[in-house]
């Protein structure tokens, strides 16, 4: 009941059987199946960030609520009426800390040991908080926000303020290998204790670290790319583009950096020499799943959310999702083999499964002699007829979620 062309696709989920008619125009066609799901979390609830904790087998999402899920399909709101920007988890303390907007000159933070029951902690401050991270080595939470404000806490409840910069900090990470925090605000600020900070000249909004190369790569506006071996001395590199760059990731398997931005992706094997490839998407975030051997990026195209995947960081495949949104963050759970990505301008959380060596097509029967066959392990239907219609029955299953 559907005519397939070069750009057509099958996109089904759940446990059910469907009949499908496929028309081939000329020659052999490949129809690649993939699982893309969306979940309307709750009316009026949008998500800014999602993390996954392997030890608890739990997703925690923060936005205009704090929500939890064990499979990223069914979500339970835990705290309403808040605006959270970021969340992190301490394995040693078994403690979540969620941080967010300022209300009436008061910063609200929430803590939880199970992701279900949350305790509010408030303190007086006129600044909004944008990002939080945790150092297992220092046993320290650090959150950053407006006008260069930094707050530190050992328990997620009592916070100490410092102001090392005058610009908004948008992101902070802890690098275990270098025993340092790195915060971004147009320049890079580093600290070994979360209290004393040093500014380093680098037009950077996002940073990642390659353990195998012992190298930081930072990216930012107007195509800026910087590298550093110590987080302190940064060298500007020629990226091959003047487009804004938003996200960067590294694959230890491929020994390759991949950076995404406005109508551009760039790749490098050493962080110094970059190859640029233009596209028509405004890409905001990228991550790499070692277990699947896949880069995954999200963004927007003509006000519609777009998701892409690549096995080499150069050639990308994917599609637009029919929702008016800007995807801005993506993460991956190795245990569940599941990507999660969040956006703005809507109240929807999306997720995507790319099964590894396990086909999502449970069975295939065909009453046609036109050559409809299943390529095992590749999630592909192969049509070998020259032209005409083929009728078959496909039984789909969602990949098993569990231990």
């Amino acid at each position: 009941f559907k005519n397939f062309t070069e750009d057509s696709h099958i996109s089904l989920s759940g446990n059910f059987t469907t009949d499908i008619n496929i028309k081939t125009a000329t020659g052999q066609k490949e129809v690649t199946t993939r699982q893309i799901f969306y979940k309307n979390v709750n009316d009026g609830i949008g998500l800014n960030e999602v993390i996954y904790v392997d030890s608890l087998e739990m997703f925690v999402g923060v936005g205009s609520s704090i929500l939890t899920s064990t499979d990223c399909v069914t979500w339970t709101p835990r705290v309403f009426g808040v605006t959270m920007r970021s969340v992190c988890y301490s394995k040693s303390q078994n403690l979540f800390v969620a941080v967010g907007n300022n209300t009436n000159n008061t910063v609200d933070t929430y803590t939880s040991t199970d992701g279900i029951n949350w305790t509010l902690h408030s303190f007086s401050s006129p600044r909004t908080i944008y990002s939080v991270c945790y150092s297992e080595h220092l046993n320290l939470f650090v959150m950053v926000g407006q006008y260069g404000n930094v707050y530190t806490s050992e328990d997620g409840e009592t916070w100490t303020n410092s102001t090392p910069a005058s610009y908004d900090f948008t992101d902070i990470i802890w690098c275990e290998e270098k025993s340092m925090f790195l915060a971004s605000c147009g320049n890079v600020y580093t600290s070994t204790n979360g209290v004393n900070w040093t500014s380093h000249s680098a037009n950077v909004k996002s940073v990642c670290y390659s353990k195998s190369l012992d190298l930081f790569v930072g990216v930012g506006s107007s195509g800026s790319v910087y590298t550093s071996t110590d987080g302190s001395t940064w060298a500007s590199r020629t990226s091959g583009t003047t487009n804004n760059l938003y996200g960067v990731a590294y694959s230890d398997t491929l020994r390759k950096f991949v950076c995404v931005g406005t109508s551009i992706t760039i790749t490098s094997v050493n962080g110094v020499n970059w190859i640029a490839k233009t596209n028509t998407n405004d890409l905001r975030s990228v991550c790499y799943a070692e277990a699947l051997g896949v880069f995954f990026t999200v963004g927007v195209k003509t006000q519609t959310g777009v998701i892409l995947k690549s096995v080499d960081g150069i050639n990308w495949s994917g599609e637009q999702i029919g929702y008016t949104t800007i995807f801005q963050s993506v993460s991956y759970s190795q245990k569940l083999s599941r990507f999660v990505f969040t956006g703005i301008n809507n109240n929807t959380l999306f997720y995507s499964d790319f099964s590894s060596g396990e086909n999502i097509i449970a069975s295939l029967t065909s009453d046609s002699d036109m050559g409809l066959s299943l390529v095992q392990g590749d999630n592909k239907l192969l049509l070998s007829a020259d032209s005409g219609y083929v009728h078959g029955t496909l039984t789909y299953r969602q990949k098993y979620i569990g231990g």
Side-chain angles (χ1 to χ4, degrees):
F1 51 68
K2 182 173 182 178
N3 289 337
F4 279 76
T5 63
E6 291 287 350
D7 297 323
S8 295
H9 66 276
I10 301 172
S11 183
L12 304 170
S13 66
N15 299 305
F16 57 87
T17 299
T18 181
D19 289 340
I20 191 164
N21 289 292
I22 302 174
K23 180 181 180 180
T24 60
T26 57
Q28 190 181 76
K29 306 292 181 183
E30 262 188 4
V31 183
T32 302
T33 68
R34 55 198 298 248
Q35 291 177 290
I36 301 298
F37 307 86
Y38 68 91
K39 178 65 177 178
N40 198 328
V41 179
N42 202 359
D43 290 340
I45 294 176
L47 293 176
N48 290 317
E49 186 173 86
V50 175
I51 65 171
Y52 180 76
V53 177
D54 284 295
S55 59
L56 298 179
E57 299 184 10
M58 177 185 293
F59 290 93
V60 174
V62 295
S64 52
S65 178
I66 300 176
L67 308 99
T68 62
S69 175
T70 58
D71 59 6
C72 214
V73 179
T74 302
W75 288 84
T76 303
R78 304 298 182 181
V79 180
F80 288 98
V82 298
T83 305
M84 297 285 102
R85 296 291 186 121
S86 184
V87 61
C88 71
Y89 178 75
S90 163
K91 184 178 180 180
S92 59
Q93 295 192 44
N94 187 34
L95 186 69
F96 291 96
V97 171
V99 302
N101 278 9
N102 179 282
T103 304
N104 298 322
N105 290 327
T106 300
V107 170
D108 293 337
T109 65
Y110 285 82
T111 59
S112 174
T113 57
D114 57 9
I116 298 173
N117 302 294
W118 293 80
T119 302
L120 171 64
H121 311 281
S122 299
F123 62 90
S124 178
S125 173
R127 308 309 180 197
T128 294
I129 305 301
Y130 293 122
S131 183
V132 64
C133 72
Y134 181 75
S135 164
E136 295 285 353
H137 177 71
L138 297 178
N139 190 34
L140 190 70
F141 294 96
V142 178
M143 60 184 185
V144 297
Q146 282 183 311
Y147 303 109
N149 276 261
V150 176
Y151 299 85
T152 59
S153 175
E154 293 183 354
D155 57 11
E157 300 179 13
T158 303
W159 297 84
T160 302
N161 176 235
S162 62
T163 311
S166 57
Y167 299 100
D168 292 357
F169 282 118
T170 56
D171 191 30
I172 184 171
I173 64 171
W174 167 257
C175 179
E176 191 70 32
E177 290 78 10
K178 298 296 184 179
S179 297
M180 68 168 57
F181 294 99
L182 289 89
S184 306
C185 69
N187 282 334
V188 175
Y189 282 73
T190 58
S191 175
T192 57
N193 58 13
V195 177
N196 303 305
W197 293 82
T198 303
S199 175
H200 312 284
S201 180
N203 180 16
V204 167
K205 294 291 186 181
S206 179
V207 177
C208 79
Y209 176 74
S210 163
K211 184 177 180 180
S212 59
L213 296 180
D214 188 28
L215 188 69
F216 291 101
V217 169
V219 300
S221 59
S222 302
S224 63
V225 173
Y226 289 80
T227 61
S228 174
T229 57
D230 58 8
S232 298
T233 303
W234 293 81
S236 178
R237 305 300 183 181
T238 301
S239 66
T241 182
T242 58
N243 295 9
N244 291 336
L245 301 174
Y246 295 112
V248 59
Y250 182 76
S251 164
D252 278 312
T253 301
L254 299 178
R255 297 293 183 96
K256 179 183 291 187
F257 292 97
V258 172
C259 178
V260 299
T262 302
S263 304
I264 199 77
T265 59
I266 61 174
T267 59
S268 174
V269 296
N270 56 15
V272 177
N273 304 303
W274 294 83
I275 299 173
K277 185 174 183 179
T278 59
N279 57 67
T280 58
N281 305 295
D282 188 0
L283 302 173
R284 298 301 180 91
S285 181
V286 62
C287 71
Y288 185 75
E290 294 285 352
L292 300 181
V294 173
F295 285 100
F296 195 76
T297 183
V298 297
V300 64
K301 178 179 181 180
T302 60
Q303 299 302 310
T304 302
V306 63
I307 62 173
L308 303 171
K309 69 170 182 175
S310 173
V311 296
D312 57 11
I314 300 173
N315 302 295
W316 298 82
S317 62
E319 64 186 61
Q320 289 179 271
I321 302 297
Y323 290 83
T324 304
T325 188
I326 300 173
F327 293 136
Q328 60 182 3
S329 179
V330 60
S331 61
Y332 177 72
S333 164
Q334 181 169 324
K335 181 177 179 61
L336 298 185
S337 297
R338 175 163 289 180
F339 293 91
V340 184
F341 41 109
T342 61
I344 58 178
N345 300 340
N346 69 5
N347 299 315
T348 305
L349 174 134
F350 291 76
Y351 61 96
S352 173
D353 291 339
F354 289 103
S355 52
S356 179
E358 183 176 353
N359 210 290
I360 63 171
I361 303 175
S363 65
L364 169 67
T365 59
S366 175
D367 55 9
S368 169
D369 59 0
M370 292 184 60
L372 177 62
S373 60
L374 172 64
V375 180
Q376 293 291 340
D378 290 337
N379 292 333
K380 292 179 180 178
L381 298 177
L382 192 62
L383 307 178
S384 57
D386 289 335
S387 62
Y389 285 90
V390 60
H391 179 271
T393 300
L394 301 177
T395 302
Y396 281 75
R397 58 167 170 75
Q398 183 175 324
K399 188 177 180 182
Y400 174 71
I401 300 299

